[in-house]
Amino acid sequence: MLGKLSWSAIPFSQPIPMAASALMILGIIALLGWLTLKGHWRYLWVEWFTSVDHKRIGVMYCVLALVMLIRGFTDALMMRSQQALAFHSAGYLPPEHYDQVFTAHGTIMIFFVAMTFVIGLMNFAVPLQLGVRDVAFPTLNSVSLWLNAAAILLVNMSLVIGEFGRAGWLAFPPLSELKYSPGVGIDYYLWALQISGIGTLLTGVNFVTTILKIRAPGMTLMRMPIFCWTSLASSLLMVAAFPILTATFAMLLLDRYLGFHFFTDTAGGNSMMYMNLIWAWGHPEVYILILPAFGVFSEVISTFSGKPLFGYRSMVIATMAICILSFLVWLHHFFTMGAGADVNAFFGIMSMIIAVPTGVKIFNWLFTVWGGRVRFEEPLLWALAFMITFAIGGMTGVLLAVPPADFVLHNSLFLVAHFHNVVIGGVLFGAFAGYSYWFPKAFGFRLDPRIGKAAFWCWTIGFYVAFMPLYIVGLEGMTRRMQHYDVAEWHPWLIVAAVGAGIIACGIALQVAQLVVSIRNRDKLRDLTGDPWDGRTLEWITFSPPPHFNFAVMPNVTGAEAYWGIKQKAIQQHRLMDLPDYQPIEMPRNSPTGFIAAFFAVVTGFALIWHIWWMVIVGLIGAFGTFVGFAWRNRYEYELPAAELAHIDDERRQARIALVEGREKGIHKVEYSETKAHGSRKVGWIEEPHGGHLGPATKRIITGYGFWIFLLSDFILFAGFYAAYAVLAHATAGGPTAVKLFDLRILAIETGCLLLSSFACGLASIAANARNMLWTQIGYVITGALGLAFIGLEVSEFAKMIAMGAGPGRSAFLSAFFALVGLHGVHVTIGLLWLGTMMAQFWAKGFRADIMRRGLCFALFWHALDIIWVGIFTNVYLLGTSP
């Protein structure tokens, strides 16, 4: 009934996990009790949990990241204190617990602090900077958030029920295979990250579509703020890299659950293939994290230097160059694998080349500060500390890119110090800069500057005290993940590192105090104009906090730094812009879809971890029902009347009077010019025409474009499985080969069924566009019948092979074959379920615009399955059976 779950899953015999679990449970109970006593549940449900407002979703992402920062840093304190005490001693953490701690620390900090924080800032700021009202797919945005929260819940449940993984934050096989990790720890890790990865992928699709297809009139690509560019690059990397992670973890799950042989040490499995796949995701992941931080620093440095960003075009080029080059450096993570001098040399050179565009950015930031009117507010302090810290991390990274040096330093604490130099000094400092920079915009009051600066110094000093010693012990030969040691020279440095961790802990405590004090003194810290920093981009033209619709009228962008130009022109003329022509607007309704989907994701994930199969079925049915219910809703938008918009916007305009009259403290007037001032010291505004961009695309174009981006990610998912098949195609382990197994006559019939179903789907789409219900339904019925025939033939093929003793557990070749072809079959099955619900919608609701858009997406999906099948048929079946 409950699978592997029993009372033995609760670690009663381990005092540290039990104490931590008790504290966590008591904290949750106290929070729930306080919310109940205060009567906040309805407010939270209506205004936050079901909200599809990008700003509130961004805030919730940041809250999750800050909570998990405390959770992950607790693990870091335990590791540093353990190593400080474990000289000629076992310390206080037993080896199996220590292994869980360092695995949980890495997993939490990368996936649930850095990723979550970065996505939160993107959610909050990007639509505001683009001058639009929301992201392309608001409900999908909510689903992404709550899937991330579901993964966080699963990770924390492992603290109380069962255990977490012990194989490191990337779960390298064969240690992560069932033979060496028979417990549920790796399963918690894999299912949590699969759920989180789906949410991250959907975020990438959403933001690529938003940035490329939803921008204010005149907001051409080369007028976008740099943060939007870096968010675009990061989102493109999410779309391209996360399917690789999904495919890799799916293969490891198949090994563990169904006895496949992708990465095992038997039957032809190849654990080195895992290293290539995981790092093909892993190094782009570093840039997924750091690029938005680069964007934050660009905004902060420009704003607090009182100057436009130096070298805007070179910053854009450098950003996109990093985006491309990030896929060409993954092998530098394992130079020691024995790939050969030529291969190592190529990846070493590429790893050095990718440092060049980063160096361009550093110099652009320095030249922006040079000659500027610099204000040393908290966000700028984080940016200045970043430039120094990240430069050190970058230089040590270039050192590690030299294969001979890497042979010496690989897997040492030198590598750990370098990685933290980049991630803390770059990503986390960037997140803190964005947090303090956009906090007044999100909540309407600033953070306390005195406490914020104290927290900054604790973090900065603590970082250097904690991690510079690790460079030294790494050079002295100390490898990472050591639970105890007996080298006397290392001990003093590890004590210093533990002191540094304590100083960082003081910084975190001060950040908590800063938030509490700022809330208490919010009236004194109130932002009355919406522009507390004398900003340059469009988010500062709105209220603080902005209304749910962001802009009563979309701004008309006529050049770079859109708000700076509007503001300086208004200050020069001592009057606000003329009243715009207010028109009614449509806004998306709140939806519980994301929250409910996350609930069923937790149910399904927990059930899969503990092998409770009936609960898995319940969870999957619930998730499917949730999305069907979402698709069947009748009212998904509401209209805001023009009069209401005019009233709300009038309040904003009244708050700006002091600003345009030059009476607002901290607002600097510059000489305004409507022509370019080349070679002068003028910081003017150049009004230009709309540049050919007339505003956001239509809903149909946005939907189709977004789905194309999703299909691109799906192609990459299949590419991951095909890469595994290509590697393992000859790893038959003495078993049957493709020539003996594949019946090309049956396969030709399968292929014909699928190709004809695609033709029928196309005819149904034509009939739907002609609003002909009969032929639409006939076309879809034929599509479904042929799709069912395809699935039936594929299942019979699998059954015949298994009956011959050629199942997926026979060899790595058969594992790769069943996984690749089976993945396509799963897609066809999902398509058939989608087809059935869509036919019912057409029949019940007619050719409504939203249903027509879903029909478009289904047609794209079904045709994509044909393309993928043609590739499989050619490369797996035809080439596999050729002499």
Short mmCIF file of all heavy atoms in Angstrom, two decimals, residues 75-93:
data_model
loop_
_atom_site.label_atom_id
_atom_site.label_comp_id
_atom_site.label_asym_id
_atom_site.label_seq_id
_atom_site.Cartn_x
_atom_site.Cartn_y
_atom_site.Cartn_z
N ASP A 75 23.86 24.30 5.91
CA ASP A 75 24.70 23.17 5.49
C ASP A 75 26.16 23.60 5.35
O ASP A 75 27.08 22.86 5.71
CB ASP A 75 24.20 22.59 4.16
CG ASP A 75 22.87 21.88 4.30
OD1 ASP A 75 22.57 21.38 5.39
OD2 ASP A 75 22.12 21.83 3.30
N ALA A 76 26.38 24.80 4.80
CA ALA A 76 27.75 25.30 4.62
C ALA A 76 28.44 25.47 5.97
O ALA A 76 29.61 25.11 6.14
CB ALA A 76 27.73 26.62 3.86
N LEU A 77 27.72 26.01 6.96
CA LEU A 77 28.29 26.15 8.31
C LEU A 77 28.66 24.80 8.90
O LEU A 77 29.71 24.65 9.55
CB LEU A 77 27.30 26.87 9.22
CG LEU A 77 27.16 28.38 9.08
CD1 LEU A 77 26.05 28.89 10.01
CD2 LEU A 77 28.47 29.08 9.41
N MET A 78 27.81 23.81 8.66
CA MET A 78 28.10 22.47 9.18
C MET A 78 29.35 21.89 8.51
O MET A 78 30.19 21.28 9.18
CB MET A 78 26.89 21.56 8.94
CG MET A 78 25.66 21.94 9.73
SD MET A 78 24.19 20.99 9.26
CE MET A 78 24.60 19.39 9.92
N MET A 79 29.52 22.10 7.22
CA MET A 79 30.71 21.59 6.54
C MET A 79 31.98 22.28 7.03
O MET A 79 32.98 21.62 7.33
CB MET A 79 30.57 21.79 5.03
CG MET A 79 29.59 20.86 4.35
SD MET A 79 29.70 20.97 2.56
CE MET A 79 29.04 22.61 2.29
N ARG A 80 31.93 23.61 7.09
CA ARG A 80 33.13 24.34 7.52
C ARG A 80 33.50 24.02 8.96
O ARG A 80 34.68 23.86 9.28
CB ARG A 80 32.90 25.84 7.34
CG ARG A 80 32.77 26.32 5.92
CD ARG A 80 34.13 26.63 5.26
NE ARG A 80 34.94 25.44 5.04
CZ ARG A 80 34.84 24.64 3.98
NH1 ARG A 80 33.98 24.90 3.04
NH2 ARG A 80 35.64 23.60 3.86
N SER A 81 32.51 23.92 9.83
CA SER A 81 32.81 23.60 11.24
C SER A 81 33.29 22.16 11.37
O SER A 81 34.19 21.88 12.16
CB SER A 81 31.58 23.84 12.11
OG SER A 81 30.47 23.08 11.67
N GLN A 82 32.73 21.25 10.58
CA GLN A 82 33.18 19.86 10.60
C GLN A 82 34.66 19.77 10.22
O GLN A 82 35.46 19.11 10.90
CB GLN A 82 32.33 19.01 9.66
CG GLN A 82 32.90 17.64 9.32
CD GLN A 82 32.91 16.67 10.48
OE1 GLN A 82 32.20 16.89 11.47
NE2 GLN A 82 33.70 15.62 10.37
N GLN A 83 35.04 20.45 9.15
CA GLN A 83 36.43 20.37 8.71
C GLN A 83 37.37 21.10 9.66
O GLN A 83 38.53 20.70 9.81
CB GLN A 83 36.56 20.91 7.29
CG GLN A 83 35.93 20.00 6.23
CD GLN A 83 36.34 20.37 4.83
OE1 GLN A 83 36.57 21.54 4.53
NE2 GLN A 83 36.43 19.38 3.96
N ALA A 84 36.88 22.13 10.33
CA ALA A 84 37.72 22.80 11.32
C ALA A 84 38.00 21.89 12.52
O ALA A 84 39.06 22.00 13.15
CB ALA A 84 37.05 24.09 11.78
N LEU A 85 37.06 20.99 12.82
CA LEU A 85 37.20 20.12 14.00
C LEU A 85 37.77 18.75 13.66
O LEU A 85 38.15 18.00 14.58
CB LEU A 85 35.83 19.93 14.66
CG LEU A 85 35.15 21.18 15.23
CD1 LEU A 85 33.73 20.86 15.65
CD2 LEU A 85 35.96 21.74 16.39
N ALA A 86 37.82 18.38 12.39
CA ALA A 86 38.08 16.98 12.01
C ALA A 86 39.54 16.69 11.74
O ALA A 86 39.87 15.77 10.99
CB ALA A 86 37.23 16.62 10.79
N PHE A 87 40.46 17.45 12.33
CA PHE A 87 41.89 17.13 12.23
C PHE A 87 42.22 16.05 13.25
O PHE A 87 42.04 16.23 14.46
CB PHE A 87 42.71 18.39 12.48
CG PHE A 87 44.19 18.14 12.54
CD1 PHE A 87 44.86 17.56 11.47
CD2 PHE A 87 44.92 18.48 13.68
CE1 PHE A 87 46.23 17.34 11.53
CE2 PHE A 87 46.28 18.25 13.75
CZ PHE A 87 46.94 17.68 12.67
N HIS A 88 42.69 14.91 12.77
CA HIS A 88 42.94 13.75 13.64
C HIS A 88 41.71 13.42 14.47
O HIS A 88 41.82 13.03 15.64
CB HIS A 88 44.13 14.00 14.57
CG HIS A 88 45.45 13.89 13.88
ND1 HIS A 88 45.80 12.82 13.07
CD2 HIS A 88 46.54 14.72 13.87
CE1 HIS A 88 47.03 12.99 12.60
NE2 HIS A 88 47.50 14.15 13.06
N SER A 89 40.55 13.62 13.89
CA SER A 89 39.30 13.41 14.64
C SER A 89 38.18 13.12 13.65
O SER A 89 38.27 13.49 12.48
CB SER A 89 38.97 14.66 15.47
OG SER A 89 37.64 14.62 15.94
N ALA A 90 37.14 12.45 14.14
CA ALA A 90 35.98 12.18 13.28
C ALA A 90 35.03 13.36 13.21
O ALA A 90 34.08 13.35 12.42
CB ALA A 90 35.23 10.95 13.79
N GLY A 91 35.26 14.41 14.01
CA GLY A 91 34.34 15.53 14.03
C GLY A 91 33.00 15.15 14.62
O GLY A 91 32.88 14.17 15.36
N TYR A 92 31.99 15.93 14.31
CA TYR A 92 30.66 15.65 14.88
C TYR A 92 29.66 15.14 13.84
O TYR A 92 28.55 14.75 14.19
CB TYR A 92 30.10 16.90 15.57
CG TYR A 92 29.75 18.03 14.65
CD1 TYR A 92 28.44 18.22 14.20
CD2 TYR A 92 30.72 18.94 14.21
CE1 TYR A 92 28.11 19.26 13.36
CE2 TYR A 92 30.39 19.98 13.38
CZ TYR A 92 29.10 20.15 12.94
OH TYR A 92 28.78 21.18 12.11
N LEU A 93 30.05 15.13 12.57
CA LEU A 93 29.17 14.62 11.53
C LEU A 93 29.68 13.26 11.06
O LEU A 93 30.80 13.16 10.56
CB LEU A 93 29.12 15.58 10.33
CG LEU A 93 28.40 16.92 10.54
CD1 LEU A 93 28.54 17.78 9.28
CD2 LEU A 93 26.94 16.71 10.86
#
